[in-house]
């Protein structure tokens, strides 16, 4: 247990050193230079390690856990492709670890590899955001009754109002095995999401909100809200609080309602996060 914790902490710190500097979004050429000069390997989505429990119940070994996410990307082309585009290979792993049970079992691991084709959005000479065409797979690597998997093809976009406020959205076409154990996953995990990210006090605080629409015309969303505070001025590590309410937080229990709050350490790209 101690050896694993030290190894994981070392890996997280190593990944945090790969985050890129924040370019001037008022100058799209500055953004392009950052993309082309930063290391090809780096962060994709937020990386974090957190601990939490179910809201509304007394914490115990069965409703409390550790949740962590590791997300990386590799730029496959050194220079811009036609139409000012870039090609990325990415991988995200999200894990739910029952550390309070006697044998410390992993409850569920969710594996999410994919390929994204990224294009800048520009307004005159200003960088306004990105649009991505994404092909991805997500599964929990199990077989039998506990097997969960689906594939997604879609588009996502991130649009900057200014340096401190970004809106984002994602819509995709799901490809689900009709004979699988999660053929109704779209009813719970949805097929589109939207949200926002706000940075205040020169990057000291960051607020994230992601809403995922479930099936139907009701006002039913899976909600994830986060608030993080910068630990040190010159790095990208945050102490953060995460709230999740809804279905689909993990693939094994995609059709089970969860309402959980967690606290932990967040490592995020300095430029923008991918959702």
């Amino acid at each position: 247990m101690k050896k694993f914790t030290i190894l994981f902490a070392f890996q997280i710190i190593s990944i945090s050193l790969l985050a890129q500097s924040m370019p001037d979004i008022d100058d799209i050429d500055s953004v392009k230079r950052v993309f082309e000069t930063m290391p090809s390997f780096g962060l994709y989505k937020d990386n974090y390690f957190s601990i939490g429990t179910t809201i509304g119940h007394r914490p115990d070994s069965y409703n409390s856990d550790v949740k962590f996410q590791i997300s990386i990307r590799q730029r496959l082309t050194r220079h811009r492709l036609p139409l000012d585009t870039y090609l990325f290979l990415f991988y995200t792993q999200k894990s739910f670890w029952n550390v309070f049970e006697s044998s410390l079992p992993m409850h569920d691991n969710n594996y999410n590899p994919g390929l994204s084709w990224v294009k800048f959005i520009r307004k005159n000479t200003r960088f306004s955001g990105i649009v991505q065409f994404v092909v991805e797979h997500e599964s929990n690597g199990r077989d039998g009754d506990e097997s969960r998997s689906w594939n997604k093809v879609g588009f996502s976009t991130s649009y900057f109002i200014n340096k401190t406020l970004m809106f984002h959205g994602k819509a995709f076409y799901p490809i689900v095995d009709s004979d699988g154990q999660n053929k109704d996953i779209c009813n719970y995990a949805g097929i589109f999401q939207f949200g926002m990210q706000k940075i205040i006090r020169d990057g000291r605080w960051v607020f994230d909100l992601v809403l995922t629409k479930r099936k139907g015309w009701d006002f039913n969303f899976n909600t994830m809200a986060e608030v993080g505070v910068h630990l040190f001025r010159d790095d990208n590590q945050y102490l953060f609080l995460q709230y999740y309410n809804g279905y689909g937080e993990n693939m094994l229990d995609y059709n089970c309602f969860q309402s959980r709050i967690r606290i932990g350490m967040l490592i995020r790209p300095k430029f923008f996060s991918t959702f």
Side-chain angles (χ1 to χ4, degrees):
M1 172 67 177
K2 184 177 180 181
K3 184 183 294 184
F4 177 86
T5 304
I6 294 173
L7 177 60
F8 183 84
F10 176 77
Q11 290 174 331
I12 285 290
I13 293 171
S14 299
I15 289 174
S16 73
L17 298 178
L18 295 170
Q20 63 270 36
S21 299
M22 178 67 175
D24 181 6
I25 68 170
D26 291 326
D27 178 10
I28 191 168
D29 290 331
S30 169
V31 176
K32 291 175 182 177
R33 282 194 297 271
V34 168
F35 265 72
E36 292 176 1
T37 59
M38 70 182 183
S40 297
F41 178 81
L43 302 184
Y44 183 59
K45 296 182 179 182
D46 288 347
N47 288 254
Y48 56 80
F49 189 90
S50 64
I51 187 169
T53 190
T54 301
I55 296 175
H57 297 274
R58 183 177 179 178
D60 59 35
S61 60
Y62 296 101
N63 64 15
S64 305
D65 65 3
V66 162
K67 175 186 177 183
F68 62 88
Q69 177 171 286
I70 299 174
S71 185
I72 55 176
R73 57 102 182 105
Q74 172 71 33
R75 191 176 74 245
L76 298 179
T77 53
R78 182 173 180 80
H79 299 293
R80 270 171 277 165
L81 297 174
L83 304 177
D84 278 350
T85 60
Y86 299 85
L87 192 63
F88 288 90
L89 183 69
F90 64 83
Y91 174 78
T92 300
Q93 179 176 323
K94 184 168 57 176
S95 297
F96 298 81
W97 188 11
N98 291 343
V99 297
F100 300 104
E101 296 184 19
S102 57
S103 60
L104 309 180
M106 283 288 179
H107 178 68
D108 202 30
N109 294 310
N110 298 165
Y111 310 102
N112 180 207
L115 192 69
S116 66
W117 183 48
V118 179
K119 177 174 174 55
F120 290 143
I121 303 173
R122 62 185 299 165
K123 186 176 181 180
N124 298 323
T125 61
R126 182 181 183 274
F127 173 72
S128 297
I130 65 168
V131 61
Q132 297 186 85
F133 173 71
V134 182
V135 179
E136 58 185 309
H137 170 79
E138 188 175 19
S139 67
N140 66 349
R142 302 192 185 189
D143 58 12
D145 292 341
E146 294 186 338
S147 174
R148 308 283 188 270
S149 69
W150 62 339
N151 301 293
K152 295 177 272 187
V153 179
F155 290 91
S156 69
T157 184
S158 299
Y159 187 81
F160 289 85
I161 304 300
N162 52 49
K163 273 187 177 183
T164 66
L165 180 61
M166 179 188 75
F167 289 93
H168 57 84
K170 181 178 181 181
F172 55 86
Y173 178 77
I175 304 172
V176 184
D177 183 0
S178 60
D179 297 324
Q181 300 298 328
N182 57 274
K183 56 188 176 182
D184 60 345
I185 190 170
C186 297
N187 296 350
Y188 299 92
I191 59 172
F192 73 89
Q193 68 180 46
F194 58 93
M196 57 83 69
Q197 181 177 88
K198 175 64 178 176
I199 299 171
I200 63 173
R201 293 188 61 186
D202 196 27
R204 181 165 178 80
W205 291 85
V206 59
F207 298 89
D208 293 320
L209 176 66
V210 182
L211 301 174
T212 303
K213 180 67 178 70
R214 299 197 294 269
K215 186 177 180 180
W217 296 103
D218 298 333
F219 195 72
N220 53 355
F221 294 91
N222 299 328
T223 303
M224 186 174 72
E226 295 177 349
V227 56
V229 58
H230 223 167
L231 293 178
F232 307 103
R233 184 176 181 84
D234 296 326
D235 63 28
N236 61 331
Q237 299 174 21
Y238 294 76
L239 177 67
F240 89 119
L241 190 70
Q242 183 189 79
Y243 166 72
Y244 191 93
N245 182 274
Y247 297 87
E249 186 181 21
N250 67 70
M251 294 205 69
L252 181 63
D253 306 318
Y254 73 93
N255 56 359
C256 298
F257 182 82
Q258 305 280 353
S259 183
R260 296 204 169 193
I261 191 162
R262 296 180 169 90
I263 188 171
M265 184 177 74
L266 167 68
I267 301 170
R268 60 180 300 272
K270 290 187 177 180
F271 187 11
F272 60 84
S273 299
T274 302
F275 294 91

